[in-house]
Amino acid sequence: VPPRIVTWKSFDGRSVEGLLFLPENRGGRPAPLVVMPHGGPSAQSSLGFYYDANYPALYLAARGFATLLPNPRGSLGYGEAFNALNRGDIGGDDFRDLQAGVDSLVAAGVVDGRRLAMSGLSYGGYLTAVSLTRTNRYACAIVAAGPMNLYANYYQDELGPYWEREFLGASPTENPAFYLERSPLHNVRKIRTPVLVVHGTANSYVPLSLGRELYHALKKGSEETAFLELPGEGHGGWSEATTAKLFAELGRFFNATIYNYGVEVRKPQVVR
């Protein structure tokens, strides 16, 4: 089924857009939903085919999952004013835009509010982790190469000055409280959701050590949290073999966790 463009009103009345992929043969029933924010932040999920974004959405749709690719404030393609709304507020109103889109689909009966998951790469991974620190509505999540410690990334990431100029608005010394408050790793104690952390060993943007640090911190909140290391791979644009391996793990992880309602099955008893 080809994707369709969906539009919703955010918390401040602003119109936000995204792509919705729906599985076939739903029979009118609400589908489980995977939210997949794009990388960037200055990027866009569009109807043009992008291997890293649209292909996973098609893969999941073929396996019965609806997929939402939102374009929150800061995304390209909606004018300079919309793009500039994210500068100095990363992990703030962009998160609220995303949640408003999920709420609209749940309210419309298109997706099942009990079966929600998230998955993101780079900035998408960051926004996924931010969402997990703000809400417990997601059954599971996949975080791939996300900048989880903004302070550490500023000094280790070769794009640090670019992030400061375009999205953070200040350096860590100028506004240390902001860097802590908007860093998922600093707030990881709030996350109890199972997370699959994915990281390439040759990632020069977000070092592997930061991915491992995130995994060990998340593992304290959920024993189901796992780490998938991609040997020789960088920040994105992974090889076909690696992508195939990732997709297989992605499907397994979602199937194992998104349907888990936490129901405890008691030992059978004879009723007289």
Side-chain angles (χ1 to χ4, degrees):
V1 177
R4 67 189 194 199
I5 297 175
V6 291
T7 305
W8 60 88
K9 294 292 184 182
S10 192
F11 69 98
D12 57 357
R14 192 177 303 276
S15 292
V16 181
E17 193 175 88
L19 295 182
L20 179 64
F21 293 74
L22 289 173
E24 293 182 316
N25 304 318
R26 289 187 300 127
R29 296 184 301 274
L33 174 69
V34 179
V35 185
M36 296 183 66
H38 59 66
S42 289
Q44 182 194 64
S45 293
S46 70
L47 289 172
F49 185 83
Y50 293 94
Y51 186 76
D52 287 341
N54 293 26
Y55 192 43
L58 292 168
Y59 174 87
L60 290 170
R63 282 151 182 80
F65 294 93
T67 309
L68 175 65
L69 277 60
N71 285 316
R73 62 194 69 201
S75 299
L76 295 178
Y78 301 95
E80 174 58 26
F82 189 83
N83 177 250
L85 289 172
N86 203 35
R87 293 175 187 166
D89 189 43
I90 187 173
D93 289 346
D94 47 359
F95 156 77
R96 297 179 180 90
D97 287 347
L98 185 153
Q99 297 308 310
V102 174
D103 290 340
S104 69
L105 294 177
V106 172
V110 177
V111 302
D112 187 346
R114 301 172 304 161
R115 294 183 290 165
L116 303 176
M118 288 192 72
S119 176
L121 167 67
S122 190
Y123 165 70
Y126 167 80
L127 204 50
T128 296
V130 165
S131 299
L132 298 182
T133 67
R134 308 270 179 86
T135 177
N136 60 1
R137 68 191 305 184
Y138 294 100
C140 60
I142 295 178
V143 173
M148 299 297 124
N149 184 337
L150 298 183
Y151 187 90
N153 273 109
Y154 180 87
Y155 291 108
Q156 295 187 37
D157 183 353
E158 61 187 61
L159 297 181
Y162 168 76
W163 273 69
E164 176 191 338
R165 183 180 69 251
E166 296 295 330
F167 310 114
L168 298 172
S171 71
T173 55
E174 293 171 319
N175 193 356
F178 177 85
Y179 275 73
L180 288 176
E181 191 252 325
R182 298 296 172 89
S183 292
L185 193 59
H186 180 70
N187 300 292
V188 76
R189 65 189 181 281
K190 300 177 182 178
I191 301 177
R192 295 291 181 265
T193 301
V195 179
L196 174 62
V197 181
V198 180
H199 219 101
T201 62
N203 191 333
S204 60
Y205 290 172
V206 182
L208 177 63
S209 60
L210 294 180
R212 288 175 174 163
E213 183 181 6
L214 175 67
Y215 162 69
H216 289 299
L218 288 169
K219 191 72 173 177
K220 297 176 183 177
S222 172
E223 280 299 316
E224 295 175 276
T225 287
F227 188 79
L228 180 61
E229 193 171 289
L230 307 179
E233 299 289 2
H235 193 64
W238 301 320
S239 68
E240 291 185 8
T242 295
T243 302
K245 176 183 177 181
L246 175 61
F247 280 14
E249 185 62 22
L250 180 147
R252 184 208 65 78
F253 184 75
F254 282 145
N255 279 323
T257 53
I258 200 171
Y259 294 103
N260 182 6
Y261 299 127
V263 176
E264 295 183 4
V265 180
R266 295 186 301 171
K267 183 179 179 179
Q269 295 177 328
V270 176
V271 179
R272 291 185 172 85

